[in-house]
Amino acid sequence: MSLFSGLDSVTIVSYFLRLGQLLSTCVPFSLVAVEDTLREGIGNWCFFVWCFCFSASLLILLTELCIFRSRLPHYWDGFLHAYAFYFTFICLSASIIFGITYIQYLPQGPAQNHAITATAFSALASVLYALEVAWVCARPGNIYCFVPTFQGVIRRLEHVVACVIFGFITNIDLYRHQPALICCVVVYSICFVLGAVNFFINGCDCDNDRRLSIPYPGFLVGQTVLSILLYTTAVVLWPLYQFDENFGGQPLRSNDMTCSSDLPPTLCVWDQRLAVAILTAMNLLAYVADSAYMALVFVG
């Protein structure tokens, strides 16, 4: 009897995608776990990303194996679309950041080989998650396909950028010397938590017909306005205290000792500071666009 007897082609393809995702996220965190050189700062964030993606994919696979598809909630396909969308960009971000941070600086040897392999499998994972995003909508049958609105895309962008920011601020040396910078980290955390609450109470962006126990539009407006105010504070404080000498900052990259090629392989602190500043400005623009879109909808 065939291993896949009794399963339709849609289910089989979904299982193969899930198994590929499990393999391509398991390999990177396994390699990083055995290589101490890669377990510092950003490497730890990438390690967490791969572990989280692996665990979530495994949980979803077990859910689909234990429960017949006909018994899954009607918004399950929308959930798969949203989860795969996020993991596509998170794994892609981990691939880019991890590769830039370690591969070019490590000497030839086992550590560099592990870094290259981990980066390659992480990139493969992002491709497999992207394929699932397409597969949820392209597969045959009476399948619910969630197509996010412009506002839904903006919100997802906000979450993805926030996740990348967290990747950089895992290096506490960026901010622990200044209370104002610690406030910026608190801002990133608050806005991310509010976005996560929005994500879950709205049915993962795929179940807009739910009857919520709270006034959802009011919560969304409040969350967006508060995030704009908080990010405006961060977009001023972070560059001010990182690059202005009057506030203890370091305006020139050449004067940053961590950017020396003689130091252990890692993305230097000045570059990380600049990356967070750029990402903070990007997320502020995303929240402003989100707010402007809501205003147009309400007026219309």
Side-chain angles (χ1 to χ4, degrees), residues 18 49 57 66 77 86 99-100 110 115 123 146 158 189 220 281 285 296:
R18 200 81 65 236
V49 164
S57 297
C66 297
D77 292 311
Y86 283 116
I100 292 175
F146 169 69
E158 295 163 0
S189 302
L220 178 58
L285 291 176
L296 290 176

Side-chain angles (χ1 to χ4, degrees), residues 1-173:
M1 180 179 293
S2 171
L3 177 64
F4 299 108
S5 60
L7 299 178
D8 55 38
S9 59
V10 170
T11 304
I12 292 173
V13 173
S14 297
Y15 286 168
F16 272 115
L17 281 174
R18 200 81 65 236
L19 290 173
Q21 293 163 1
L22 289 173
L23 174 64
S24 56
T25 51
C26 177
V27 171
F29 78 71
S30 299
L31 292 174
V32 173
V34 301
E35 191 64 57
D36 292 338
T37 309
L38 306 177
R39 292 292 304 277
E40 299 177 359
I42 291 176
N44 285 331
W45 175 79
C46 295
F47 179 81
F48 169 78
V49 164
W50 296 321
C51 287
F52 182 79
C53 292
F54 175 85
S55 302
S57 297
L58 179 61
L59 181 61
I60 290 173
L61 177 61
L62 293 176
T63 300
E64 292 184 327
L65 287 173
C66 297
I67 304 176
F68 290 109
R69 174 164 289 277
S70 59
R71 296 176 58 188
L72 290 170
H74 71 279
Y75 53 81
W76 179 253
D77 292 311
F79 168 77
L80 292 180
H81 186 283
Y83 121 89
F85 179 94
Y86 283 116
F87 284 12
T88 295
F89 287 98
I90 291 174
C91 285
L92 180 61
S93 299
S95 305
I96 296 172
I97 295 173
F98 188 82
I100 292 175
T101 303
Y102 292 102
I103 292 178
Q104 61 178 328
Y105 298 110
L106 285 169
Q108 291 186 351
Q112 187 188 59
N113 293 337
H114 287 171
I116 293 173
T117 305
T119 302
F121 271 91
S122 180
L124 175 62
S126 68
V127 171
L128 291 172
Y129 285 119
L131 287 175
E132 181 164 13
V133 172
W135 174 244
V136 168
C137 291
R139 59 191 177 185
N142 186 21
I143 300 297
Y144 171 80
C145 177
F146 169 69
V147 179
T149 62
F150 171 78
Q151 192 173 27
V153 172
I154 290 295
R155 291 177 201 156
R156 293 182 177 194
L157 176 63
E158 295 163 0
H159 302 161
V160 171
V161 172
C163 287
V164 178
I165 289 176
F166 282 123
F168 286 108
I169 62 177
T170 52
N171 181 4
I172 62 175
D173 291 333

Side-chain angles (χ1 to χ4, degrees), residues 219-271:
F219 172 82
L220 178 58
V221 171
Q223 178 237 331
T224 305
V225 172
L226 178 60
S227 296
I228 290 175
L229 295 176
L230 291 175
Y231 261 92
T232 300
T233 302
V235 85
V236 173
L237 292 180
W238 186 270
L240 190 65
Y241 281 87
Q242 295 287 15
F243 305 115
D244 193 324
E245 287 182 320
N246 296 326
F247 293 90
Q250 181 62 263
L252 299 177
R253 185 180 188 274
S254 58
N255 293 337
D256 192 332
M257 298 297 294
T258 64
C259 295
S260 172
S261 59
D262 298 329
L263 294 178
T266 184
L267 193 66
C268 77
V269 171
W270 196 92
D271 292 339

